[in-house]
Amino acid sequence: MQDDKTGGVPIRTVKSFLSKIPSVVTGSDIVQWLMKNLNIEDAGEAIHLGSLIAAQGYVFPISDHVLTLKDDGTFYRFQAPYFWPSNCWEPENTDYAIYLCKRTMQNKARLELADYEAENLARLQRAFARKWEFIFMQAEAQVKIDRKKDKTERKILDSQERAFWDVHRPVPGCVNTTEMDIRKCRRMKNPQKVKKSVYGVTEESQPQSPVHLPSQPVRKTTKEDFRKQITFLNMQIERHCLKMSKVAESLIAYTEQYVEYDPFITPAEPSNPWISDDAALWDIEMSKEPSQQRVKRWGFSMDEVLKDPVGRDQFLRFLESEFSSENLRFWLAVQDLKKQPLQDVTTRVEEIWQEFLAPGAQSAINLDSHSYEKTSQNVKDPGRYTYEDAQEHIYKLMKSDSYARFLRSNAYQDLLLAKKKGETHPGFAVHGQLQLMPELAHSQLQGAQTAPQQKRIFWWDGRGGLQLL
């Protein structure tokens, strides 16, 4: 590409505002050269090949740190042969520390450290605290040498050195510079682990060139290999992908929602049974009189309602009021079927079929045609999971329709509000914002001049104060 005699990519100096940009090529020139000299017909394939070349560090953009090739007027520059990855570079952290120190000594806007580089420099300074003076002296010496060079040459060398570290210490968030891990690639191509220093300080270096392993004979691809690849790709396409940020948001929201129900984070009342011998918490959880916290939890999801015996009973009563209790009874029957002994499964499968799915069934449920046909086939070979598809369909039906109405129903709202009112203040009967306090002694009324046995109505202001009406 750099050989002008054989029709290489034209390298030129471009005039910019108040300055010149030396030795650059455009991305479109590289793409055209690849298509012409490698007989590539598809421009996308040429861009992909050029991006792989850029990812290895042989070509790099001068405006940013993203090592990809664009088919436009973006300016690129060729890497110096000294920094080519084919030299099997394995730079040390000390080399990176020298490079960052050099950048801090050069007071130019284009050489200022980015945030991640400043963090790396601080981390390296802590790691090499004992030898930092030596590193700083080497950086000073390199800066003195660079200042003796021509301004144009120095500008090119600075960009090439920056591109080298973009390959070996990439910007956070960027994909690795090679499709294969570059360190693993170096180990495979260079088993003797030749170590070099970027700035001429050799460590355990060897004079001979890196040893390259002979390539293994490639097995011819068969039809079966293609079938397996197609099957694998189809499975990958069907996978449900979710951004990591969305997963993190969901996890945070779930944690915040359930934090008061985690006894390891929020102290349990009346006592934590995991660190004491008091089982009162278990008794409260098994009680048929649920607490306000327990009723509130039913609103999180339908699973919370179904796994709470009291919540399940309340949901069943609501469905009975809407004449759709057969859905929940079918779901519970299928859950019970999964726990039955094997010798009882066949009989129980037939009983469920006759009750909920057979023509003219007493408690017929509404299934779609696909689920009904599949369940009909499964009944011929009964098992614990015969009704799995039908149960999933009924679950989704209840979740999308009945459960939402249950949360809006008077039954649930009254139960939730009753528990809230009952826990507003112990010993007070609530009527809206008025609270009746019969039979209160004179000393308990905070100075109210009333007879001990006389009934009075007081206003509870919610801040621990009582106001006489």
Side-chain angles (χ1 to χ4, degrees):
M1 284 188 188
Q2 299 181 68
D3 192 353
D4 294 334
K5 296 179 182 179
T6 58
V9 182
I11 302 174
R12 54 186 180 271
T13 298
V14 180
K15 291 184 179 180
S16 181
F17 181 70
L18 299 178
S19 64
K20 292 182 179 180
I21 306 175
S23 303
V24 294
V25 297
T26 62
S28 56
D29 288 340
I30 297 175
V31 172
Q32 293 299 324
W33 189 92
L34 291 172
M35 295 180 67
K36 178 181 178 182
N37 290 270
L38 301 181
N39 297 324
I40 299 175
E41 297 180 357
D42 184 11
E45 184 177 352
I47 293 172
H48 176 65
L49 178 59
S51 296
L52 292 178
I53 295 173
Q56 296 283 348
Y58 292 99
V59 179
F60 61 90
I62 65 171
S63 57
D64 56 37
H65 298 267
V66 182
L67 300 177
T68 57
L69 182 67
K70 300 177 183 177
D71 188 11
D72 55 20
T74 304
F75 291 130
Y76 292 82
R77 188 170 283 149
F78 288 103
Q79 181 61 281
Y82 181 74
F83 290 121
W84 281 356
S86 58
N87 291 324
C88 293
W89 283 110
E90 192 170 356
E92 301 290 338
N93 284 332
T94 52
D95 300 326
Y96 189 44
I98 293 171
Y99 164 71
L100 294 177
C101 277
K102 284 174 55 180
R103 291 268 300 276
T104 60
M105 297 175 187
Q106 296 167 334
N107 298 322
K108 294 181 181 179
R110 61 187 175 83
L111 296 173
E112 289 181 358
L113 294 181
D115 291 341
Y116 78 96
E117 291 175 324
E119 293 175 3
N120 289 339
L121 178 60
R123 186 161 50 247
L124 290 170
Q125 190 170 2
R126 290 193 299 269
F128 298 117
R130 295 185 178 180
K131 56 189 299 188
W132 191 254
E133 186 177 355
F134 171 75
I135 292 173
F136 191 82
M137 290 171 59
Q138 281 209 339
E140 276 187 326
Q142 291 295 326
V143 169
K144 289 179 181 178
I145 295 173
D146 291 342
R147 285 173 180 168
K148 296 178 182 178
K149 297 176 182 176
D150 180 68
K151 181 179 179 181
T152 302
E153 181 186 3
R154 190 164 65 245
K155 184 183 292 187
I156 296 173
L157 290 176
D158 286 342
S159 66
Q160 289 172 337
E161 188 176 15
R162 185 211 69 185
F164 172 82
W165 288 110
D166 285 342
V167 175
H168 295 275
R169 298 292 188 275
V171 181
C174 286
V175 180
N176 200 346
T177 52
T178 58
E179 292 184 277
M180 185 181 210
D181 185 3
I182 192 168
R183 296 183 181 181
K184 185 177 180 181
C185 187
R186 282 199 302 269
R187 286 196 298 270
M188 290 177 62
K189 292 185 178 180
N190 186 17
Q192 296 184 4
K193 295 184 179 180
V194 177
K195 290 188 178 181
K196 299 180 181 179
S197 174
V198 181
Y199 305 107
V201 182
T202 58
E203 298 179 4
E204 303 177 7
S205 60
Q206 299 180 10
Q208 67 270 24
S209 60
V211 178
H212 295 271
L213 298 175
S215 59
Q216 299 295 330
V218 180
R219 184 176 65 87
K220 188 176 181 180
T221 308
T222 61
K223 291 183 179 180
E224 186 63 27
D225 294 332
F226 283 116
R227 289 194 188 97
K228 290 180 180 178
Q229 187 176 8
I230 292 171
T231 303
F232 172 76
L233 293 175
N234 286 331
M235 291 174 61
Q236 294 297 105
I237 291 173
E238 293 174 359
R239 287 181 60 187
H240 179 67
C241 298
L242 198 63
K243 290 183 177 179
M244 184 58 68
S245 59
K246 297 295 182 183
V247 175
E249 289 176 5
S250 300
L251 183 59
I252 291 171
Y254 178 87
T255 305
E256 291 176 347
Q257 186 179 43
Y258 282 89
V259 65
E260 61 178 308
Y261 297 93
D262 190 338
F264 290 100
I265 300 176
T266 304
E269 295 181 359
S271 64
N272 193 336
W274 282 277
I275 59 176
S276 67
D277 295 331
D278 187 6
L281 180 64
W282 305 130
D283 297 335
I284 294 174
E285 290 294 324
M286 296 303 294
S287 172
K288 294 185 178 181
E289 292 293 332
S291 62
Q292 187 267 336
Q293 188 182 34
R294 190 168 155 193
V295 174
K296 178 184 173 184
R297 187 168 179 169
W298 299 348
F300 292 170
S301 67
M302 196 172 78
D303 290 329
E304 296 291 347
V305 176
L306 295 178
K307 71 183 183 182
D308 189 327
V310 180
R312 196 163 54 239
D313 292 341
Q314 292 290 336
F315 190 38
L316 182 60
R317 291 177 189 174
F318 169 75
L319 293 177
E320 287 174 350
S321 67
E322 292 198 336
F323 305 100
S324 59
S325 62
E326 65 277 358
N327 290 331
L328 181 56
R329 287 191 285 110
F330 170 76
W331 189 89
L332 294 173
V334 175
Q335 285 293 101
D336 182 66
L337 172 65
K338 297 175 184 179
K339 305 173 186 177
Q340 292 292 323
L342 192 59
Q343 62 269 21
D344 300 337
V345 168
T346 304
T347 304
R348 187 61 183 140
V349 167
E350 181 62 25
E351 290 175 355
I352 294 174
W353 175 265
Q354 293 299 329
E355 184 179 358
F356 297 101
L357 292 166
Q362 183 179 1
S363 303
I365 59 174
N366 186 16
L367 283 184
D368 62 293
S369 58
H370 175 73
S371 300
Y372 186 83
E373 290 176 5
K374 194 166 185 179
T375 304
S376 301
Q377 294 295 327
N378 292 341
V379 170
K380 297 177 182 178
D381 184 19
R384 289 193 178 98
Y385 299 93
T386 298
Y387 297 105
E388 190 74 13
D389 294 285
Q391 186 189 33
E392 182 178 359
H393 176 79
I394 292 298
Y395 177 87
K396 291 179 179 178
L397 185 65
M398 291 191 297
K399 183 178 180 180
S400 61
D401 185 29
S402 303
Y403 173 67
R405 290 203 309 275
F406 169 69
L407 296 182
R408 296 193 301 267
S409 67
N410 293 332
Y412 176 75
Q413 293 295 331
D414 290 346
L415 188 61
L416 186 62
L417 290 175
K419 293 298 176 184
K420 284 184 178 179
K421 292 174 182 178
E423 296 179 10
T424 302
H425 194 279
F428 294 86
V430 180
H431 293 270
Q433 288 182 314
L434 295 180
Q435 304 191 16
L436 302 181
M437 300 173 56
E439 308 297 337
L440 285 178
H442 180 270
S443 59
Q444 295 175 313
L445 297 182
Q446 299 183 358
Q449 300 298 321
T450 59
Q453 301 299 326
Q454 188 175 359
K455 294 184 180 180
R456 291 291 184 268
I457 299 177
F458 291 85
W459 176 272
W460 176 261
D461 60 10
R463 299 190 298 270
L466 296 174
Q467 300 294 333
L468 177 65
L469 295 184

